[in-house]
Amino acid sequence: MVRLMGRFRTRSPQRPGAVPERRRRQGGGSSRRRPATGLRSALSKRSVAGQVFVLHLVIVLLLVAAAVVALVLQVQRDSTQEARNRSLAVAETFASAPGIVEALDSPDPTAVLQPRAEVARELADVDFIVVMNTDGIRYTHPRTDRIGKQFVGTTGPALAGEPVVEEIEGTIGELVQAVVPVEDADGTVVGLVSAGITTENVGGAAEDQLPLVLSAALGALALAVGGAALVSRRLLRQTHGLGPHEMTRMYEHHDAVLHAVREGVIIVDGDGTLMLANDEANRLFGLPEDAEGRHVLDIGLDPDTADLLSSGRVATDEVHRVAGRLLAVNQRPTDRAGGPPGSVATVRDSTELRALSGRAEASLERLNMLYEAGVGIGTSLDVLRTAEELTELAVPRFADFVTVDLFESVLSGGHPDPSGTLRRTAVTGIAEDAPLYPRDEKIRFVASSPQGKSLTTGRPVLEPRLVEAPGWHVQDVERSRRVMEYGIHSLITVPLRAGALTLGVVSFWRSEKPEPFDTDELALAEELVTRAAVSIDNARRYTREHNMAVTLQQSLLPRSLPEQTALEIAYRYLPAQAGVGGDWFDVLPLSGARVALVVGDVVGHGLHAAATMGRLRTAVHNFSALDLPPDELLGLLDELVGRIDQDEAQDEQVAPVTGATCLYAVYDPVSRRCTVARAGHPPPALVRPDGSVEFPEVPAGPPLGLGGLPFESADLELPEGSRLVLYTDGLVEDRGHDIDVGLERLRQALSRAGDSPEDTCRVVLESRRPIRASDDIALIVARTRALSADRIAEWPVPSDPAAVGEVRAAVSRKLAEWGLEALTFGTELILSELVTNALRYGGSPIQVRMLHDRNLICEVYDSSSTSPHLRYATMTDEGGRGLFLVAQLADRWGTRYLPAGKVIWAEQPIP
């Protein structure tokens, strides 16, 4: 708008370009005065801002004063009117109150009416209520000395039956009072009632509101002064403290600058009329001399430019071709900040810069592509996915089709075999019907092909025109012909190299863009493939290590369950998404037909976790051979883990065993008792034969390796057909919920599962969400069986050597009953030696037990904790050959320690 005003100026007679004396004093000839600061400058009458401020302030003062007077008068009027209304209402209410007429006819009206009038006066908040007869003699009055005297006021209208309200000078001062008639049932006026409020009280209401009115007036005045100061300050900034004469000079300078700049300026009003065009705009658009004042559609502009200027829409560097020039037009509306409707457009000639900007945009696009390659390729440690990410990035921004061919050994994590075949790993293009080799196709490139050259030399190859590349046609003549007919005409091949290894080759194909690939694009393709090769090699190395870890883990986990009759067992093992973990389980047959169940978890994934899991599983195997109680076995395992940590603490390349947990349970089918102990592991679940599910209370010991605290065990009485469920924390814990939610889900799954362990495993894992967990899952379901009483034989042995013969006889009869006569000789000899040792070296009581299980088990119990040892007797020794004979006749034998003694047992196979 300033420029528009400068366009239609009246020129001053002063010399053009002259600098006013005042400006020379302030800034050495600057065309703009330095803005003055503070309200003091705004008050200066020499500036437009000061004049506006003074005028604004005077108007506001007058308005505020008028408003205060009007508000005071209004408040007084409202208070008086409210007093008149209240006096009339109180008088009429009292006059129509029950008993007033009777009181007037009574011998002493004052005695009856005075108390009522005072009570009513106080309740109605008036200054007096006066009851009088028709002659105006008072019966009541707030001042008792006024009773019996003549009422002061107008009573005529009231005697005629009409109420009257008036302002008079009464006996208690100036007041507003109302007089109303008291009528009997016939409508005859028998008395009068007057109620009123003194002027002092009426004015008091107005005076109470006067401070609020004055405060509001002062606040309005302060806001108005502040607003005037802000407006003046803003105007001061906009006018730079100039007066009208100086502003005229400033507009002249701006007008001179407007026509001197080498950028076109066009101002169009809201109707599309051209208001202003500077000299550069006239030159660039070739406008006629009378263009200003005409509609932009009628001044000879090209249609696109005219539509833009008339529309008033926002445009940023919009290019228009005008008379062989490329003009960049920027347009903005002028009414965004409250200005007049219209738009202002600036125009500059960008013909010479256009070619440079095109090359700059191409370079920027390549830099963006390289950046996205750095963050978008290699997001996973999967060879196939990494190759796909490379092709998806390059299509269609760089090439129309991209193919990745890798040596087959690379896909499985091995070293590339230069003599082997390649497999097409990834194909991405703008269409799916291109006649290129499809995905998963095995390929052998001939040496003359571009891909063969890249694999042989390790350098990229550019074939700008495939029609002129005979070596490429030799690869597959028929397919090459179809590729050419499809429209693919240019090719870049780049080897995938990671260090000294060549993993494969990447091919970039062009069909839509008519220009062939050039050397700059060859460099970009090489940079893209170089970055992708690092990610593919990392994925290959990870695949190799993952395969090694999987192989190690599978070799360490049990491949089959041992034969036993105490438990019917089903199990599942699910690896985590992250790869190989440290979860493990085991089933260990023990002496006396007992079976041990073990589940454990080593926190972490990878080779170290799998190797640690194998060491712990081996340790549990060895410790279980000692027939130790579960709590003692976990104590030994805890010490072992502590020693492993101490041994590996000095090796910075090996991480300590942190977070290892274990649960160890021993089930006895004879007593149907299960002894359980756990070290930082989730508790087992128990499904009873009736289908009820519970989580037995098993003391929670610390994780393995912490040391310092003992482990405790719990004894569970399991009815035959119960299902004992052991699991690792991956089944019940997840990042999305805590363990309580997981345990409740497990309870619900177990409650609806079938009786068989296999069905239980299936239902539990199907209820698991997500199916692919973030941690390993090991699950064992064992349904209990009991050894029937007819397969158990027990005999107490007196402390008498003659009792050995009685034991042999009883054993022979029981073996005949079981149909195991073939084992009579060996069994008698084994028990004779074991009972004899117990009588000679042990302590009372002594007991013999035989169990008819998958094997024939003979056990001799005594109260001594001394264990016999196998040794070779010399020719001259009279004894020492008993245990040697037992070892020869039995498949296995050993000692099991109890809290109050020991059991020596021996197993024989049943023929």
Side-chain angles (χ1 to χ4, degrees):
M1 194 64 188
V2 169
R3 297 177 181 177
L4 183 59
M5 293 175 63
R7 179 63 176 171
F8 301 101
R9 67 192 183 283
T10 301
R11 293 196 173 272
S12 172
Q14 183 176 353
R15 178 173 54 88
V19 180
E21 180 64 25
R22 181 179 176 185
R23 293 191 183 173
R24 288 197 298 270
R25 291 197 303 267
Q26 292 180 348
S30 173
S31 64
R32 302 181 68 183
R33 180 184 176 188
R34 182 169 33 176
T37 59
L39 186 59
R40 184 187 61 186
S41 298
L43 293 174
S44 174
K45 295 183 179 180
R46 293 176 297 177
S47 65
V48 175
Q51 297 173 9
V52 170
F53 176 76
V54 172
L55 179 61
H56 194 173
L57 185 59
V58 170
I59 294 173
V60 168
L61 286 173
L62 293 176
L63 291 176
V64 170
V68 170
V69 173
L71 285 174
V72 170
L73 294 177
Q74 181 66 31
V75 169
Q76 289 180 347
R77 179 181 177 280
D78 292 345
S79 299
T80 302
Q81 184 62 36
E82 197 274 336
R84 296 171 66 91
N85 294 337
R86 192 195 310 172
S87 300
L88 179 61
V90 171
E92 289 179 341
T93 302
F94 194 84
S96 61
I100 296 298
V101 175
E102 290 77 5
L104 290 173
D105 293 337
S106 65
D108 188 0
T110 299
V112 177
L113 295 175
Q114 177 68 13
R116 295 185 184 181
E118 289 304 304
V119 172
R121 180 180 64 81
E122 293 178 357
L123 293 175
D125 195 18
V126 295
D127 291 327
F128 67 89
I129 296 178
V130 174
V131 183
M132 68 196 85
N133 59 17
T134 55
D135 295 329
I137 303 302
R138 302 186 186 100
Y139 290 146
T140 65
H141 196 280
R143 299 179 182 177
T144 57
D145 58 344
R146 300 291 194 273
I147 297 175
K149 295 182 179 181
Q150 184 68 35
F151 175 74
V152 178
T154 303
T155 60
L159 292 173
E162 296 294 332
V164 60
V165 181
E166 59 183 350
E167 299 179 19
I168 66 169
E169 179 71 27
T171 59
I172 59 174
E174 293 183 1
L175 51 83
V176 176
Q177 68 179 11
V179 182
V180 299
V182 179
E183 299 176 347
D184 60 6
D186 298 333
T188 304
V189 177
V190 297
L192 302 174
V193 176
S194 176
I197 303 174
T198 62
T199 305
E200 179 181 357
N201 290 336
V202 173
E207 292 174 358
D208 291 341
Q209 297 184 20
L210 185 59
L212 178 61
V213 172
L214 292 178
S215 298
L218 291 176
L221 180 61
L223 290 175
V225 172
L230 291 176
V231 171
S232 299
R233 185 182 182 88
R234 181 174 181 180
L235 184 59
L236 180 67
R237 288 197 302 267
Q238 293 177 347
T239 61
H240 304 285
L242 300 177
H245 180 72
E246 292 175 321
M247 290 181 64
T248 302
R249 296 295 180 86
M250 180 185 68
Y251 292 156
E252 292 176 352
H253 283 275
H254 288 179
D255 189 61
V257 172
L258 177 66
H259 291 279
V261 295
R262 298 298 297 171
E263 183 170 314
V265 178
I266 292 180
I267 299 177
V268 180
D269 67 4
D271 297 330
T273 302
L274 178 63
M275 303 299 296
L276 173 66
N278 68 348
D279 295 342
E280 183 67 9
N282 284 304
R283 184 184 70 84
L284 294 175
F285 285 116
L287 299 177
E289 294 182 358
D290 60 346
E292 293 183 1
R294 296 169 56 186
H295 200 280
V296 292
L297 297 177
D298 302 331
I299 57 177
L301 295 173
D302 66 281
D304 291 341
T305 306
D307 291 341
L308 172 62
L309 297 178
S310 63
S311 66
R313 63 180 174 85
V314 175
T316 302
D317 288 337
E318 190 171 306
V319 178
H320 292 260
R321 182 179 294 276
V322 178
R325 295 189 182 95
L326 293 177
L327 303 182
V329 181
N330 290 273
Q331 182 168 270
R332 296 293 184 273
T334 58
D335 56 357
R336 282 186 172 180
S343 61
V344 57
T346 59
V347 186
R348 66 178 183 277
D349 192 350
S350 62
T351 305
E352 298 178 355
L353 299 176
R354 193 64 180 173
L356 293 176
S357 64
R359 288 195 292 270
E361 290 176 0
S363 300
L364 180 61
E365 173 64 18
R366 293 175 183 178
L367 289 176
N368 290 336
M369 189 180 301
L370 291 177
Y371 170 76
E372 294 180 12
V375 299
I377 299 178
T379 58
S380 66
L381 292 174
D382 182 81
V383 175
L384 297 178
R385 181 56 193 154
T386 305
E388 291 173 351
E389 290 171 346
L390 170 60
T391 61
E392 292 170 358
L393 174 70
V395 175
R397 299 169 61 181
F398 178 69
D400 298 319
F401 299 91
V402 178
T403 59
V404 178
D405 306 309
L406 299 177
F407 288 105
E408 287 196 274
S409 55
V410 173
L411 300 176
S412 59
H415 279 69
D417 182 11
S419 62
T421 60
L422 293 95
R423 182 182 295 272
R424 179 134 295 177
T425 307
V427 180
T428 300
I430 58 176
E432 298 181 357
D433 58 346
L436 301 171
Y437 285 118
R439 184 172 178 171
D440 293 330
E441 181 82 8
K442 293 183 179 180
I443 309 171
R444 282 186 177 273
F445 290 107
V446 298
S448 61
S449 66
Q451 292 87 350
K453 294 178 181 177
S454 294
L455 292 173
T456 303
T457 63
R459 300 184 62 81
V461 174
L462 169 63
E463 290 291 352
R465 296 176 179 80
L466 288 177
V467 69
E468 302 173 0
W472 173 71
H473 290 275
V474 174
Q475 172 68 34
D476 189 333
V477 177
E478 177 60 25
R479 186 178 297 274
S480 300
R481 181 186 62 80
R482 288 190 284 121
V483 168
M484 297 295 298
E485 292 176 352
Y486 188 80
I488 297 176
H489 59 83
S490 189
L491 169 66
I492 292 177
T493 62
V494 183
L496 270 164
R497 293 181 56 83
L501 300 178
T502 300
L503 308 177
V505 64
V506 181
S507 302
F508 300 88
W509 313 80
R510 175 171 287 177
S511 62
E512 292 293 322
K513 190 176 180 180
E515 295 84 1
F517 286 118
D518 55 25
T519 54
D520 291 340
E521 292 168 321
L522 176 66
L524 175 60
E526 186 176 8
E527 182 67 23
L528 286 175
V529 174
T530 300
R531 299 192 179 195
V534 176
S535 299
I536 291 177
D537 188 55
N538 290 338
R540 176 189 68 85
R541 294 172 182 269
Y542 172 79
T543 302
R544 179 184 61 189
E545 294 182 1
H546 178 73
N547 292 339
M548 293 172 58
V550 169
T551 303
L552 174 62
Q553 183 190 44
Q554 291 177 348
S555 66
L556 295 176
L557 289 174
R559 299 183 180 181
S560 61
L561 298 182
E563 296 180 357
Q564 46 82 33
T565 57
L567 297 170
E568 180 186 354
I569 297 176
Y571 66 92
R572 296 288 189 277
Y573 181 84
L574 297 180
Q577 290 179 334
V580 176
D583 290 14
W584 55 282
F585 65 92
D586 220 332
V587 179
L588 306 172
L590 302 178
S591 63
R594 298 171 304 136
V595 178
L597 300 176
V598 191
V599 288
D601 183 8
V602 176
V603 175
H605 297 86
L607 285 173
H608 181 70
T612 303
M613 175 267 290
R615 298 167 75 176
L616 296 182
R617 179 170 178 256
T618 302
V620 171
H621 267 270
N622 294 332
F623 292 151
S624 65
L626 301 177
D627 253 332
L628 298 173
D631 53 343
E632 295 184 17
L633 185 141
L634 290 182
L636 294 177
L637 197 62
D638 180 66
E639 293 180 5
L640 174 64
V641 173
R643 288 196 300 271
I644 293 175
D645 285 345
Q646 291 178 1
D647 295 341
E648 295 180 348
Q650 299 178 353
D651 189 354
E652 297 180 355
Q653 303 298 325
V654 180
V657 182
T658 56
T661 65
C662 183
L663 185 147
Y664 188 82
V666 177
Y667 173 70
D668 188 351
V670 177
S671 63
R672 302 192 312 278
R673 178 171 296 174
C674 182
T675 304
V676 185
R678 60 189 180 114
H681 204 82
L686 177 61
V687 185
R688 296 194 176 274
D690 60 358
S692 62
V693 182
E694 62 181 88
F695 293 93
E697 290 292 337
V698 179
L704 298 175
L706 296 183
L709 294 175
F711 296 95
E712 300 180 38
S713 60
D715 290 333
L716 309 177
E717 190 76 24
L718 304 183
E720 186 174 7
S722 300
R723 281 169 288 164
L724 187 65
V725 182
L726 309 182
Y727 52 90
T728 55
D729 58 359
L731 182 67
V732 295
E733 288 187 355
D734 198 353
R735 294 179 180 177
H737 57 77
D738 56 19
I739 190 172
D740 293 335
V741 178
L743 291 176
E744 182 59 29
R745 291 180 180 176
L746 176 60
R747 181 196 301 274
Q748 295 175 2
L750 293 174
S751 63
R752 64 175 182 269
D755 293 337
S756 68
E758 283 291 338
D759 184 67
T760 303
C761 287
R762 179 184 58 80
V763 172
V764 168
L765 293 182
E766 286 179 354
S767 65
R768 167 72 185 178
R769 293 293 183 272
I771 299 301
R772 294 285 292 173
S774 58
D775 195 7
D776 297 358
I777 297 177
L779 174 65
I780 299 179
V781 179
R783 185 166 64 179
T784 61
R785 297 168 178 163
L787 193 62
S788 60
D790 59 352
R791 287 176 171 265
I792 304 173
E794 294 182 296
W795 302 278
V797 180
S799 298
D800 183 2
V804 176
E806 298 176 1
V807 171
R808 284 200 300 265
V811 167
S812 298
R813 290 192 298 270
K814 180 56 72 173
L815 290 177
E817 180 182 340
W818 286 345
L820 301 177
E821 293 87 349
L823 299 178
T824 301
F825 174 76
T827 304
E828 289 181 351
L829 184 56
I830 290 173
L831 286 176
S832 296
E833 293 297 333
L834 296 180
V835 171
T836 300
N837 281 339
L839 291 171
R840 183 176 300 176
Y841 304 109
S844 298
I846 300 174
Q847 191 170 1
V848 173
R849 185 175 74 167
M850 281 200 316
L851 304 177
H852 183 191
D853 194 34
R854 300 181 69 258
N855 297 320
L856 181 63
I857 303 172
C858 300
E859 297 180 343
V860 176
Y861 165 79
D862 67 81
S863 60
S864 172
S865 60
T866 303
S867 177
H869 297 281
L870 181 66
R871 68 183 182 86
Y872 288 98
T874 63
M875 295 298 294
T876 58
D877 290 340
E878 294 183 0
R881 297 177 179 84
L883 287 180
F884 182 79
L885 293 175
V886 171
Q888 296 300 312
L889 295 173
D891 272 1
R892 297 194 310 151
W893 74 279
T895 303
R896 180 170 72 251
Y897 292 95
L898 302 177
K902 67 177 182 296
V903 173
I904 301 178
W905 55 270
E907 291 184 2
Q908 301 177 78
I910 296 177

